[in-house]
Amino acid sequence: MASPKSRSRMSAARWMMVAALLIGLDQLSKLVIVNSYALGQQTVLTSWFNIVRVHNAGAAFSFLSDAGGWQRWFFVGLGVLAVAVLAFLMIRHAGQVLFSLAATLIISGAIGNTIDRLSYGYVVDFIDWHYAGWHWPAFNFADSFIMVGAGLFILDEIRRVRRG
């Protein structure tokens, strides 16, 4: 019979396999966009949703996108640090499903966007939601993983506080 610590490691390994699949999905989607669309080219799919190729040298909502280049390495470092901390925490709490799912999603998103920054110098975005002429900033699957993961962390903490 496996010890609780070895069961936790096995569980963490499963979460890392999920992360690898999500990173693959993110990178495949971006590869399709890079190989199919010129910068700024778009496909209108509905009255509220487009696919468009956009490059983001900054962070969320293009924060620091015009900072002169140093931000690329800052965000690479931030991504590596976030992945290291979250991987450590996930290994320690691998049996906590909601916490581990949240960490896995954020790890996947951080790695996906860090790969872009290292490969291209910017993040490839392509999902464009809009309504009545107002466009939400374009994003990608990695960004979605990070946002959903953050929401799940909040939910996990609310549940933990209510139990305690």
Side-chain angles (χ1 to χ4, degrees):
M1 174 160 264
S3 71
K5 189 171 188 170
S6 67
R7 278 196 307 268
S8 177
R9 276 195 208 112
M10 287 187 297
S11 184
R14 287 188 195 112
W15 287 114
M16 288 301 179
M17 287 189 314
V18 171
L21 289 171
L22 293 174
I23 294 163
L25 171 68
D26 174 67
Q27 289 299 297
L28 179 61
S29 68
K30 292 171 181 173
L31 188 62
V32 167
I33 296 300
V34 166
N35 289 327
S36 303
Y37 287 78
L39 182 61
Q41 182 181 357
Q42 70 177 343
T43 300
V44 176
L45 297 176
T46 70
S47 62
W48 44 268
F49 179 69
N50 301 335
I51 300 295
V52 61
R53 181 174 170 183
V54 178
H55 297 166
N56 183 358
F61 306 104
S62 296
F63 175 67
L64 294 177
S65 64
D66 58 355
W70 65 266
Q71 74 278 17
R72 173 185 186 187
W73 303 110
F74 173 76
F75 290 125
V76 165
L78 191 60
V80 169
L81 179 63
V83 168
V85 169
L86 288 170
F88 172 78
L89 291 172
M90 187 183 62
I91 290 166
R92 290 192 56 159
H93 304 284
Q96 296 176 19
V97 175
L98 190 58
F99 180 90
S100 295
L101 176 58
T104 298
L105 287 166
I106 294 174
I107 287 168
S108 301
I111 291 173
N113 283 341
T114 298
I115 290 170
D116 282 15
R117 290 181 197 289
L118 291 170
S119 300
Y120 305 118
Y122 51 80
V123 173
V124 176
D125 290 328
F126 58 91
I127 300 169
D128 177 28
W129 295 103
H130 57 91
Y131 177 73
W134 178 84
H135 289 256
W136 185 258
F139 59 100
N140 58 46
F141 288 140
D143 298 332
S144 299
F145 300 155
I146 292 168
M147 290 303 298
V148 171
L152 292 177
F153 267 142
I154 292 167
L155 178 61
D156 184 59
E157 183 63 12
I158 290 169
R159 290 175 63 195
R160 188 190 66 75
V161 168
R162 285 186 179 168
R163 281 192 305 261

